[in-house]
Amino acid sequence: MLTPLERVAFLLVVLVSLGLATRGALRLIRIIGRGRGRPNWSLAWRRLPDVLFLKTASLEPTFRARTLVSLLHGFVAWGFMYYLLVNLGDVLQGYISGFIFLGTGLIGGLYRLGADLLSVAALIGMASLFIRRFLLRPSSFEVRAGTTLYPGARIGIRRDSLIVTLLILFHVGFRFLGESFRVALEGDADAWQPFATLLAGAWSGWSPAALDIGSHVGWWVALGLIFAFLPYAPYSKHIHLGMAPINYLLKPERRSMGELDALDFEDESLEQFGVTRIEDLSYAGLLDAYACIMCFRCTDACPAHETGKVLSPAALEINKRYFLNKEGGQLAAGEQSSLTLTEFAISKEAVWACTACGACVQVCPVGNEPMRDILEIRRSLVLMENDFPEELQTAFRGMERTVNPWNVPPEERLVWAEGLQVPTVEQNPTAELLWWVGCAPATDTRAQETARAFARVLNAAEVDFAVLGGREQCTGDSARRAGNEYLFYELASANVELLNEVAPKRIVTTCPHCLHTLLNEYPAFGGQYTVIHHTQLLQELIADGRLEFEDAESPLLTFHDPCYLGRQNGVFAAPRDSLKLIDMDVREMPRSGAQSFCCGAGGAQMWKEEEAGQARVSEERLREAQESGAQTLAVGCPFCMIMLSSAQQADDPLVVRDVAEIVADRMKSGDGAFDPSSP
């Protein structure tokens, strides 16, 4: 197909393009290499099938939100993936006279059918996405005033999106156009290329010379655009095509998306705690910047942003990318960056607005973890600069002096259990179950009602259990997510020492934050435990027939998924099953399960004033519950209970109750039938 001169010219284009692209790729590798830690390559190999087929080929993470838009993106992505084969075939056909890639048989026919269908699908998908982003311009793509945005990024986001859009439209479009000229030149309809054949009819009457020129132009523009773009790719948003699978392959292995890396305070060589500058991030945190597709799904899911705060997880990743584009050469050479992250990537106000709910991580189609960056920045602000909201000082002081943020003396941790059979480990050292009560159920007046109800259930089911009583102390979750890693280190070390001494067979807790910390974060301190949530135990006891219930009218309920129970630890069915097994009518809110909206307490927000916005996070979630039409809002977390109850007005008929309270009131041994008007 190509003349000798064209072959030489194309070869020169390829060599120059690959040379420049390699230079950019090596720069990128050196930048990522500045990050802390190193990938586990054996883990990457084990993940390879899942990443290739589930994450990449099927685009499963993309379909977690925006179903129609995800399908359009799928058309583009699947077409572009297939074009790796198409481009190879076109180069070979251009260089080898008379060569037909994969032949004229069934395999070759299926190949051409795939190219034909996916070309049209990619063009439809890309044109639709172009209209959406540049003409319809949904608010999702707008960065809120007050949100930190690196200079040039506001224009750069649209510019880079336009470049990638035009690349795909012209690359696929000219290849498809060129193929239609080739079909017309051959004179026979190609049944394996129905759309190209249909377009070929438009060229009837053209001379063979004109059709040959058209085929040549299509070939050169389609392939020329790719090789012209390659040197720019490491600086563009399109680099996510390669970096997204790599991001999934090389992420450190974690028990939960919320598990944080422990700091070794015994290592005297450590001079930096947390993350101050971009080079302080882990290699995974730097990879995130290059994997980001700038789709803003994380920002849409963020409860802080949704209630009018200046936090935008997408802006954080985008700012990292544009900063690396500018100063990446210095970083690659081992030099220090010119600005701290709070100076160019995210404001301190936004840092402290995060509820650490994990919604941004869960919804990201490329595996990014902006929440982790934010919590690492908090560590630096607290430990390196002593810069944090003043309100947190009270909680910190309480955890330091009385080992709980409520500042309640340890000797009062069992006051809630007066009049109930709640044995301590000293009284029942061989208990089958250790109940980790948690600070809120032990000290907060409203949450104590949950503890009392759960105790009634355990006794009715004749569960062999014990509590730590005055020896129990805060797990340190709030300290860790507030950035006070040293305080968490002290609490965790003491708790692990105590628990290893007690050696519980199984631990149950009514607080998802305690569950998460005991199960996922204490292993780093030498504590390996079997930990379940109280709704899991309730489900187990009810299913086993160990509880008897009264027949009573069932009010309509809706269940609020706590972030650290559902999204962070995958417990979705147990609380619902516990309610359904006692014939409760459960109606789902629009955002439930993994897409549940936060109550606003996580990330140590419980202990500070919420940043300015259009509404409080708890108010937004309560509104959804009210609009569900339910009489009762069931929860499975004391923090959720406190936040959602406090968001209510005095005349609000909706009742907020823990699942344990609902179950206890339906028991035959309880105080009677369930009363939806109970406090």
Side-chain angles (χ1 to χ4, degrees):
M1 175 182 173
L2 296 181
T3 66
L5 182 60
E6 285 180 307
R7 291 173 184 169
V8 173
F10 185 75
L11 181 60
L12 290 174
V13 168
V14 171
L15 291 176
V16 171
S17 174
L18 292 179
L20 294 173
T22 300
R23 180 183 176 187
L26 291 174
R27 172 183 181 272
L28 190 150
I29 291 170
R30 287 194 295 270
I31 291 170
I32 295 171
R34 285 293 304 274
R36 290 182 291 103
R38 288 295 176 266
N40 182 340
W41 293 102
S42 62
L43 178 63
W45 281 111
R46 294 200 302 272
R47 287 175 174 169
L48 189 59
D50 175 75
V51 171
L52 286 178
F53 297 105
L54 187 61
K55 298 291 193 297
T56 304
S58 75
L59 300 177
E60 178 274 329
T62 306
F63 285 89
R64 293 171 186 168
R66 303 178 186 171
T67 304
L68 178 59
V69 173
S70 296
L71 183 60
L72 293 172
H73 183 271
F75 288 165
V76 176
W78 292 321
F80 217 78
M81 292 177 201
Y82 196 81
Y83 260 58
L84 294 174
L85 183 64
V86 169
N87 291 334
L88 173 63
D90 286 352
V91 170
L92 292 175
Q93 288 181 169
Y95 267 79
I96 304 173
S97 299
F99 177 74
I100 298 177
F101 187 61
L102 297 182
T104 57
L106 178 62
I107 294 177
L110 290 174
Y111 157 72
R112 295 196 305 281
L113 177 63
D116 191 68
L117 296 179
L118 286 172
S119 292
V120 174
L123 290 171
I124 291 173
M126 196 70 259
S128 301
L129 293 175
F130 172 83
I131 292 170
R132 178 174 181 266
R133 182 175 281 254
F134 292 99
L135 299 182
L136 300 179
R137 299 181 66 176
S139 59
S140 300
F141 296 121
E142 298 300 323
V143 178
R144 178 172 291 140
T147 298
T148 301
L149 202 59
Y150 190 66
R154 196 175 298 273
I155 295 175
I157 295 169
R158 292 177 60 80
R159 179 199 63 219
D160 286 351
S161 295
L162 182 61
I163 289 173
V164 170
T165 297
L166 294 178
L167 167 72
I168 294 173
L169 286 174
F170 280 92
H171 171 58
V172 176
F174 269 90
R175 196 275 171 185
F176 179 66
L177 191 64
E179 195 65 12
S180 73
F181 283 125
R182 189 189 63 78
V183 171
L185 183 62
E186 292 177 354
D188 295 321
D190 186 349
W192 292 105
Q193 299 189 87
F195 289 107
T197 298
L198 183 65
L199 183 59
W203 320 131
S204 60
W206 285 36
S207 68
L211 292 173
D212 185 58
I213 291 173
S215 179
H216 265 70
V217 170
W219 189 95
W220 268 102
V221 174
L223 290 172
L225 280 173
I226 289 296
F227 288 102
F229 179 78
L230 278 179
Y232 173 64
Y235 302 88
S236 80
K237 65 171 286 185
H238 213 49
I239 194 65
H240 78 267
L241 283 177
M243 300 308 290
I246 293 173
N247 206 25
Y248 277 116
L249 283 173
L250 301 185
K251 283 290 181 194
E253 190 169 32
R254 300 188 180 98
R255 298 169 184 83
S256 164
M257 69 172 71
E259 179 191 355
L260 298 179
D261 301 327
L263 298 181
D264 184 5
F265 289 97
E266 303 298 324
D267 185 355
E268 296 181 358
S269 66
L270 282 180
E271 297 180 356
Q272 173 68 40
F273 298 111
V275 169
T276 301
R277 297 179 181 273
I278 196 166
E279 61 267 30
D280 299 329
L281 289 167
S282 68
Y283 72 87
L286 293 172
L287 258 174
D288 284 351
Y290 290 106
C292 180
I293 194 175
M294 303 185 192
C295 64
F296 286 85
R297 293 176 186 226
C298 55
T299 296
D300 279 355
C302 176
H305 183 271
E306 284 295 280
T307 52
K309 281 78 170 175
V310 296
L311 173 58
S312 169
L316 168 61
E317 297 299 341
I318 290 168
N319 289 337
K320 287 161 58 181
R321 166 81 67 80
Y322 281 98
F323 185 80
L324 289 173
N325 281 352
K326 182 179 181 182
E327 296 200 9
Q330 298 168 225
L331 292 170
E335 299 175 19
Q336 185 184 72
S337 56
S338 63
L339 300 171
T340 65
L341 285 163
T342 54
E343 289 174 325
F344 78 86
I346 183 171
S347 67
K348 291 180 183 179
E349 179 183 354
V351 166
W352 292 111
C354 177
T355 66
C357 67
C360 58
V361 180
Q362 187 275 331
V363 78
C364 181
V366 294
N368 282 356
E369 301 173 316
M371 178 188 74
R372 191 170 301 277
D373 289 357
I374 292 171
L375 296 182
E376 289 281 9
I377 293 170
R378 285 186 182 179
R379 283 178 171 179
S380 173
L381 291 174
V382 173
L383 299 178
M384 303 296 292
E385 301 178 34
N386 197 33
D387 184 1
F388 54 88
E390 180 62 30
E391 304 100 320
L392 290 175
Q393 191 65 262
T394 301
F396 290 163
R397 191 178 297 114
M399 285 183 272
E400 290 166 355
R401 296 178 180 177
T402 61
V403 294
N404 71 83
W406 269 269
N407 273 291
V408 174
E411 57 270 17
E412 296 182 16
R413 282 191 81 104
L414 266 182
V415 170
W416 65 269
E418 290 178 357
L420 298 171
Q421 294 180 354
V422 181
T424 64
V425 290
E426 288 78 15
Q427 296 166 327
N428 187 13
T430 60
E432 290 294 317
L433 185 73
L434 174 67
W435 175 11
W436 185 279
V437 179
C439 296
T443 59
D444 178 79
T445 303
R446 180 62 188 90
Q448 285 176 343
E449 295 302 313
T450 299
R452 292 180 65 82
F454 190 54
R456 288 167 52 206
V457 172
L458 293 179
N459 284 315
E462 298 182 348
V463 175
D464 180 19
F465 77 97
V467 299
L468 292 170
R471 299 173 69 190
E472 184 183 292
Q473 58 186 32
C474 182
T475 61
D477 165 79
S478 291
R480 171 165 261 199
R481 272 146 195 85
N484 196 337
E485 184 68 15
Y486 184 72
L487 179 53
F488 171 78
Y489 171 83
E490 290 188 317
L491 291 167
S493 299
N495 283 330
V496 167
E497 183 178 354
L498 172 60
L499 286 172
N500 287 348
E501 175 191 329
V502 174
K505 298 172 185 176
R506 192 161 65 148
I507 301 174
V508 65
T509 178
T510 53
C511 178
H513 296 266
C514 294
L515 167 80
H516 174 82
T517 307
L518 293 167
L519 180 64
N520 300 316
E521 298 189 324
Y522 278 12
F525 294 82
Q528 301 279 350
Y529 314 113
T530 300
V531 191
I532 60 171
H533 187 247
H534 73 295
T535 59
Q536 293 174 294
L537 184 62
L538 290 172
Q539 178 193 36
E540 179 184 315
L541 296 175
I542 298 169
D544 289 347
R546 295 175 64 177
L547 296 168
E548 295 183 3
F549 298 95
E550 301 279 0
D551 291 327
E553 182 180 351
S554 298
L556 181 63
L557 284 83
T558 189
F559 179 71
H560 162 74
D561 290 273
C563 299
Y564 276 73
L565 180 64
R567 187 182 301 115
Q568 301 271 12
N569 285 286
V571 180
F572 300 109
R576 291 171 171 80
D577 289 348
S578 298
L579 295 168
K580 291 175 181 177
L581 284 170
I582 59 173
D583 297 323
M584 289 293 180
D585 185 7
V586 181
R587 175 180 294 177
E588 296 292 349
M589 285 183 269
R591 290 182 282 197
S592 62
Q595 285 75 43
S596 179
F597 197 74
C598 183
C599 75
Q605 298 294 326
M606 180 79 178
W607 313 109
K608 56 180 281 295
E609 282 299 317
E610 206 166 305
E611 274 65 30
Q614 297 163 354
R616 299 179 71 86
V617 174
S618 56
E619 292 171 347
E620 174 65 14
R621 186 53 167 171
L622 182 67
R623 180 189 60 78
E624 285 189 336
Q626 292 167 334
E627 292 178 354
S628 73
Q631 298 167 262
T632 300
L633 172 56
V635 299
C637 172
F639 282 7
C640 297
M641 167 79 75
I642 294 167
M643 295 297 288
L644 295 171
S645 296
S646 65
Q648 290 183 291
Q649 299 296 321
D651 59 348
D652 188 354
L654 186 69
V655 179
V656 184
R657 307 204 79 197
D658 190 272
V659 175
E661 294 179 278
I662 298 171
V663 170
D665 279 1
R666 287 296 294 268
M667 294 189 311
K668 282 188 175 180
S669 57
D671 297 328
F674 172 60
D675 180 3
S677 64
S678 297

